[in-house]
Amino acid sequence: MIVRIMGEGQLDLGDADLDLLNQFDRTLEEAIESGSEDTFRKALHDLLERVRQDGKPLPPESLEPSEFILPPADASMDEVRDMLGDDGLIPDLT
């Protein structure tokens, strides 16, 4: 699956990563609901770091469609809240 981190590029992740990413996504949603900036920052950092760690970067000239689009590391809580759908940033497809 192709994931885009806004401002950074696209990464190719295995489908096996979906469950783990959903756990990080739920933690991020809970942090936003709590209103805690520190908890939000850590949750966003952890989610993006996992995608960077597990994903294989695609070449910059690649224009593959992205299944998921994630906010940049410096996104505000309000910006991420606006991006959230009913199922979070990474919908549970299982």
Side-chain angles (χ1 to χ4, degrees):
M1 81 186 128
I2 307 297
V3 177
R4 174 177 297 281
I5 299 176
M6 294 171 65
E8 292 185 31
Q10 293 179 301
L11 299 105
D12 189 7
L13 289 161
D15 290 337
D17 289 311
L18 186 59
D19 286 339
L20 182 61
L21 293 179
N22 272 307
Q23 291 173 353
F24 281 98
D25 188 38
R26 280 190 291 278
T27 301
L28 181 63
E29 285 184 80
E30 290 168 2
I32 290 171
E33 289 173 13
S34 78
S36 168
E37 183 70 27
D38 290 339
T39 305
F40 163 74
R41 282 279 141 227
K42 180 173 179 355
L44 180 58
H45 172 270
D46 291 349
L47 172 62
L48 297 179
E49 193 59 33
R50 177 55 71 160
V51 171
R52 291 182 195 114
Q53 179 181 347
D54 291 359
K56 178 184 172 202
L58 296 180
E61 64 276 2
S62 177
L63 295 175
E64 298 291 323
S66 301
E67 280 191 65
F68 308 115
I69 299 175
L70 301 179
D74 62 351
S76 71
M77 197 181 310
D78 286 337
E79 289 169 329
V80 175
R81 185 181 291 118
D82 289 344
M83 291 179 70
L84 291 174
D86 291 339
D87 293 322
L89 293 171
I90 302 173
D92 189 357
L93 303 175
T94 58

